[in-house]
Amino acid sequence: MLADSIPGPLAAACDEVRLASPADAVAGVQPGLVAAPATTDQASAVLRAASELGLTVIPRGTGTKLAWGNPPERVDLIVETTALNRVIEHAAGDLVATVQAGVQLGDLAGLLSQAGQRLALDPARPGTIGGVLATGVAGPLRLRYGTPRDLLIGITVVRADGTVARSGGKVVKNVAGYDLGKLFAGSRGTLGLITEATFRLHPLPAAIAYRSAECAAPADAARLLSDWLHSSIDPVAAELDWPASGEPIRLGIAVEGSQAGLDERSGERSGERSGSPPGWWNAGAAARSDGTVLQLAFWAGGLGSVLTEIRAVAGRAGLDPAISGSAAGLLHVAVPEQADASRVAGLVTGLRASLAGGADGASGQAARASVVVQQAPAPVRDLVDLFGPVPSLRLMRAVKQQFDPGRVLSPGRFVGGI
Amino acid sequence: MTLTRPDAPASPATHAAFATLIPRLTDICGRDAVITDPLELRTYECDGLTSHRCVPGLVVLPQTAAQVAAIVSACAKAGVPFVARGSGTGLSGGALPAADGVLIVLARMRKIIEVDPASRRAVVEPGVTNLAVTKAAQPFGLFYAPDPSSQQVCSVGGNVAENSGGAHCLKHGFTVHHVTGLEIVTPDGELTWLGDGTGQANGYDLVGAFTGSEGTLGIVTKIVVRLTPIPQAVTTLLAAFETTAQGGTAVSAIIAAGILPAAIEMMDALSIEAAEAAVACRYPPGAGAVLIVELDGPAADVQAESAAVREIAMRAGAFEIREAADPDDRAAIWRGRRAAFAAMGRISPAYIVQDGVVPRTALHDVLMRISALSAAAGLRVANVFHAGDGNLHPLVLFDDSSEAESAAAQELSGAILDECISHGGSITGEHGVGVDKSKYMPRMFSSDDLDTMQLLRCAFDPAGLCNPGKIFPTPRMCGEVPGVRRGPHPLVAAGQADQF
């Protein structure tokens, strides 16, 4: 709820503390205070003060993905990372950069490109480094470069009680100690506040080419993608866009390398070649900031049947969603804001039953797909479990219990109500 | 060397626990899968790091995940520690057994359950060797990218525990980048899946957190690995220089040119000398350093990059460059590099391998410091390293019949790691911490860092029975709230642990 004054310990911990406004609400839940520490030490002092005052805390970058997940059970204090906006070190010769969590991914890309380098992440909804890490988002480049956790080599976090902890370091090859970066990547602000991160960088390619085609049916799209992936064309990214059931499926890949190499590799292939991405590239369902967006992860070989199944289940629910994604095992499905909530819930449960059904950790057979509601309007959230069945939830709860025994960090927002 | 740990005499409590455990384990796995004979037990007293030895109390060789779960349950119930072991090729004592514990050997679990080329995935049991995965994938034009030098014998389960790398991880990444799902037995005996093989975590990324945890969070019983398309072309260059400084200049220039080779390896004069003595690799005579650069990818790009690397090497002062484009020539170039560790036996009675990492740009400075430290200690140090990612393997040569020299070698080894840390590096790039380097962990991490890491340990293994005594110099008491202590910890009171 809205606060009427700033508690002394919090004011002492950080220069930038203010009373929250209705615009600071998280999924409809109103915080009282907003603090914006500018250093890891200040962030530590803020969390220590919050812990002493018994305040619940939610970290926030620019808020592009703040609506994801369950609404918090409670939030007293938003810890904003936007003042943590320094690039601490760009060691170009080592292809490594250390940045504070509030740095914008786009700003970092601009800086790195001056040295001919990049952080190989292209999420549809970027925001800050801290937000990208906490949500684990990645775009079409995931085919070659993976997700944020694959490029993260060191991390600094502040625990619920203000303890500052580091793991990893600033060398790419390092197996000393547990890799807490893996645990924090995708942890949605439930284990601690990420204040700094060190990434492995890659050289910018000399040239990039795209190749795209339209397919009439899921099986055609799956066959074409398979041809591209298993050829010497060696794509680094793949993307698919299928806006509605009556329309063709648009499929594309990106290829990187020397100009001469690209000419040789993509000469004889099917599809149309272009020097820039097609307009729909990375701009489909995953980029939507309103309505319901589902994230489907599956074993990539099943692409054709997954696409068919999405249309079939959606048809039974009376919906015609937009489908897009990185094609190689990850798709997003978007339904407009105004769609009937019970139909959307039917789509979610139907997809879970058909793609990720009949499997759990205890049966000895791993489920090979997941259907997660990334964002949804409140009426939809009320009807479905956003995360669905999760293997080893018991262990996840134990991890949460160890890192945040008082449940003061983003309480209730994550899987199983963590 | 006198690092051998005396086998702790088993306490009466251990004897009592084993008396009930042996029949239970025999019930679970059958008589031929439980080893109690002292002579046979001795076979398992160490892994690839032979300077640490401890005869296990008991060895059991399960064949199924259900058996592993039952064994761990029985151990947990009896309060007996357990250690998992794959092929035993680890280089940090990560699979060092406990004298009062059970060693669970996974070598009989070696089925490749499934290869799914369309999804680029394979599902394997933990005892499957690293190379066997690649062999199973090859007919589909795929391979398993992490390739530790022990890949013919090391197990995938062990690779998961250690987050193993290999010469080609510069470009292709480590085990953690190629594992998308794990079936594990938790330290209290529950069989469960971490991840679903898709590579997209739902909930915490426990696959990522588990990989590289050195067997302290549970025992892996199935692994879903990512398979990678076999590159269209591979070429290997060997460049000979007069000095390692020239080689280092070439490495920096290659990276600065935006080229990411699959591997960049360097050997100094002493390691070349040892390799020549051992396998007659016939590197260019008079070389003070050789650089091995392997490029892979689409043919046109490999060709262009190979020309660029040649030019860079020449400019850095290379006096001879060889190129191998077919597998036989390539194997000839790699022969000396692969033999380097074992070859030290030709020029020294004993040696310690270190595994420090420094930022690539600090390579030259650190090599100069190692050279100075080596001269000051009066001990030779041979340098073999993954130059592309700054992972040094200094081999400290010494005479193990001399107590004084053994101690000096240990000290020199530690001083080299200090140099790595002070340059912003790490004490281990791929061998793991195990028992060998836990004492160096506080030099790299604060007590808060180590304490925070151990929260993960406490979540998985609150009883501290799963591969105890590894990674962390001082175990955290799970459930203990720092700063709030009411009387002595129960384990301290029971005389089972110390706090200091």
Side-chain angles (χ1 to χ4, degrees):
Chain A
M1 70 183 89
L2 289 165
D4 45 22
S5 68
I6 295 169
L10 204 53
C14 175
D15 302 333
E16 292 295 322
V17 185
R18 62 173 172 84
L19 298 177
S21 75
D24 294 308
V26 180
V29 182
Q30 180 62 51
L33 300 153
V34 179
T39 63
T40 295
D41 284 348
Q42 276 187 20
S44 164
V46 166
L47 281 170
R48 192 173 305 114
S51 168
E52 282 158 11
L53 293 163
L55 304 178
T56 50
V57 174
I58 289 183
R60 180 177 80 190
T62 38
T64 50
K65 297 172 282 289
L66 194 63
W68 292 11
N70 302 312
E73 287 165 17
R74 192 183 126 189
V75 51
D76 302 308
L77 171 67
I78 298 277
V79 178
E80 199 171 64
T81 60
T82 45
L84 285 158
N85 58 2
R86 282 190 313 121
V87 173
I88 294 167
E89 184 186 13
H90 173 205
D94 295 316
L95 281 165
V96 162
T98 300
V99 301
Q100 288 185 318
V103 170
Q104 296 281 326
L105 184 62
D107 293 346
L108 180 62
L111 177 87
L112 299 176
S113 70
Q114 291 166 21
Q117 298 181 357
R118 65 171 162 177
L119 174 56
L121 290 172
D122 58 348
R125 301 185 59 197
T128 61
I129 290 293
V132 165
L133 273 176
T135 51
V137 289
L141 280 175
R142 65 186 290 135
L143 178 67
R144 170 63 52 86
Y145 300 99
T147 61
R149 61 89 108 169
D150 294 309
L151 299 166
L152 181 70
I153 59 172
I155 194 166
T156 304
V157 299
V158 182
R159 280 162 49 189
D161 63 0
T163 304
V164 176
R166 294 179 170 83
S167 103
K170 57 177 197 175
V171 286
V172 170
K173 199 170 180 185
N174 177 10
V175 293
Y178 293 154
D179 188 350
L180 295 180
K182 298 286 185 296
L183 193 62
F184 274 75
S187 67
R188 303 282 186 101
T190 61
L191 296 178
L193 172 72
I194 300 167
T195 58
E196 288 174 21
T198 304
F199 291 97
R200 158 185 208 173
L201 308 175
H202 283 87
L204 277 169
I208 306 177
Y210 296 83
R211 185 154 287 275
S212 57
E214 292 191 346
C215 304
D220 304 329
R223 202 174 308 117
L224 178 58
L225 182 67
S226 172
D227 285 351
W228 278 338
L229 292 181
H230 294 94
S231 71
S232 56
I233 197 167
D234 195 29
V236 296
E239 178 79 343
L240 174 150
D241 187 54
W242 193 8
S245 55
E247 299 191 34
I249 302 166
R250 302 182 285 208
L251 192 65
I253 49 168
V255 184
E256 298 176 348
S258 64
Q259 191 61 55
L262 293 192
D263 290 344
E264 184 182 298
R265 280 149 65 195
S266 54
E268 302 291 307
R269 307 284 158 195
S270 49
E272 187 177 329
R273 189 177 161 185
S274 61
S276 55
W280 48 265
W281 183 269
N282 206 10
R288 299 273 174 92
S289 59
D290 61 350
T292 300
V293 177
L294 314 181
Q295 177 196 271
L296 276 61
F298 54 94
W299 284 36
L303 177 66
S305 58
V306 169
L307 286 170
T308 304
E309 205 55 32
I310 295 169
R311 285 288 172 227
V313 173
R316 285 198 292 276
L319 297 168
D320 191 17
I323 303 170
S324 76
S326 71
L330 197 85
L331 290 173
H332 288 88
V333 175
V335 180
E337 184 90 20
Q338 63 273 18
D340 177 72
S342 63
R343 287 170 187 262
V344 180
L347 175 65
V348 174
T349 50
L351 286 174
R352 279 188 187 140
S354 105
L355 303 180
D360 65 358
S363 73
Q365 172 64 52
R368 288 183 170 182
S370 64
V371 178
V372 171
V373 182
Q374 201 159 66
Q375 66 180 36
V380 174
R381 288 199 307 251
D382 290 344
L383 293 177
V384 291
D385 175 352
L386 302 190
F387 297 92
V390 175
S392 56
L393 187 58
R394 181 183 72 90
L395 287 171
M396 292 181 195
R397 289 192 208 281
V399 169
K400 170 71 174 180
Q401 171 66 25
Q402 287 292 329
F403 278 82
D404 180 21
R407 293 188 81 248
V408 297
L409 296 171
S410 305
R413 300 218 73 189
F414 203 28
V415 288
I418 281 173
Chain B
M1 272 178 81
T2 50
L3 285 178
T4 301
R5 196 161 90 173
D7 297 344
S11 67
T14 306
H15 278 305
F18 275 27
T20 53
L21 207 50
I22 291 169
R24 176 77 192 106
L25 298 187
T26 307
D27 279 352
I28 296 166
C29 300
R31 193 171 300 277
D32 75 324
V34 181
I35 298 174
T36 54
D37 175 70
L39 267 180
E40 280 185 72
L41 288 176
R42 197 159 278 280
T43 330
Y44 295 95
E45 67 182 352
C46 64
D47 60 13
L49 183 74
T50 55
S51 52
H52 292 263
R53 292 168 194 269
C54 176
V55 177
L58 199 64
V59 170
V60 56
L61 296 116
Q63 285 183 288
T64 67
Q67 287 177 353
V68 177
I71 293 164
V72 171
S73 278
C75 289
K77 213 166 133 189
V80 170
F82 50 91
V83 176
R85 173 185 162 118
S87 302
T89 55
L91 291 173
S92 56
L96 183 76
D100 60 348
V102 175
L103 186 72
I104 304 174
V105 178
L106 301 158
R108 290 185 182 175
M109 294 177 64
R110 52 197 324 151
K111 278 200 291 288
I112 293 175
I113 297 166
E114 182 184 350
V115 178
D116 179 347
S119 298
R120 294 185 180 174
R121 294 287 187 273
V123 185
V124 305
E125 288 189 332
V128 169
T129 63
N130 175 292
L131 194 60
V133 182
T134 280
K135 283 186 173 159
Q138 262 166 353
F140 307 101
L142 301 167
F143 76 114
Y144 179 54
D147 63 339
S149 56
S150 55
Q151 70 175 147
Q152 294 202 2
V153 282
C154 67
S155 70
V156 180
N159 293 170
V160 169
E162 301 295 322
N163 187 17
S164 303
H168 296 84
C169 59
L170 174 63
K171 178 172 182 179
H172 295 287
F174 313 97
T175 299
V176 73
H177 300 116
H178 299 276
V179 169
T180 60
L182 295 170
E183 183 194 64
I184 67 160
V185 172
T186 63
D188 55 2
E190 186 195 353
L191 194 61
T192 187
W193 274 91
L194 311 179
D196 55 14
T198 61
Q200 179 69 40
N202 186 12
Y204 298 129
D205 179 8
L206 297 185
V207 175
F210 188 95
T211 305
S213 62
E214 304 196 20
T216 61
L217 300 181
I219 300 179
V220 63
T221 49
K222 283 190 192 73
I223 302 128
V224 184
V225 299
R226 171 180 282 133
L227 302 173
T228 304
I230 295 171
Q232 189 188 17
V234 182
T235 193
T236 308
L237 294 155
L238 179 135
F241 298 90
E242 278 163 18
T243 66
T244 53
Q246 290 174 329
T249 303
V251 172
S252 294
I254 291 168
I255 300 297
I259 297 170
L260 183 59
I264 309 181
E265 304 286 305
M266 187 145 61
M267 293 168 69
D268 71 358
L270 192 53
S271 51
I272 297 168
E273 178 195 328
E276 291 290 356
V279 296
C281 48
R282 311 220 186 286
Y283 287 164
V290 296
L291 201 61
I292 298 173
V293 180
E294 191 153 288
L295 299 156
D296 70 15
D301 299 67
V302 168
Q303 209 178 347
E305 287 176 348
S306 147
V309 168
R310 277 173 169 273
E311 202 187 311
I312 287 167
M314 293 301 284
R315 243 183 290 138
F319 65 83
E320 184 174 338
I321 298 177
R322 298 176 186 169
E323 180 160 355
D326 74 66
D328 286 345
D329 287 353
R330 198 152 59 233
I333 286 180
W334 279 102
R335 192 184 308 131
R337 170 62 188 88
R338 289 198 195 284
F341 285 15
M344 293 304 147
R346 300 291 183 120
I347 59 168
S348 174
Y351 62 93
I352 299 172
V353 186
Q354 276 303 356
D355 181 36
V357 189
V358 296
R360 189 166 35 232
T361 48
L363 264 178
H364 179 66
D365 288 355
V366 173
L367 286 177
M368 292 299 104
R369 283 295 301 151
I370 291 175
S371 167
L373 288 166
S374 156
L379 292 173
R380 294 182 299 167
V381 177
N383 286 294
V384 180
F385 48 96
H386 308 298
D389 40 29
N391 187 190
L392 303 165
H393 289 311
L395 298 139
V396 178
L397 311 184
F398 67 103
D399 180 355
D400 57 351
S401 66
S402 155
E403 288 273 340
E405 201 164 313
S406 301
Q410 279 292 317
E411 200 173 317
L412 175 55
S413 253
I416 290 172
L417 290 185
D418 282 339
E419 280 301 322
C420 294
I421 296 168
S422 71
H423 282 83
S426 169
I427 57 172
T428 173
E430 56 185 358
H431 294 172
V433 177
V435 286
D436 188 42
K437 290 186 269 302
S438 59
K439 61 179 178 289
Y440 299 121
M441 286 289 275
R443 301 191 196 180
M444 189 170 162
F445 293 109
S446 74
S447 59
D448 280 345
D449 299 342
L450 295 173
D451 196 58
T452 304
M453 288 179 192
Q454 291 194 73
L455 294 176
L456 186 60
R457 173 68 182 270
C458 289
F460 276 74
D461 182 25
L465 292 175
C466 189
N467 207 12
K470 312 294 163 67
I471 306 179
F472 301 102
T474 37
R476 184 181 210 272
M477 302 298 169
C478 300
E480 170 193 47
V481 181
V484 186
R485 193 157 294 153
R486 299 178 192 83
H489 189 280
L491 285 180
V492 176
Q496 291 175 309
D498 289 315
Q499 284 180 323
F500 46 86

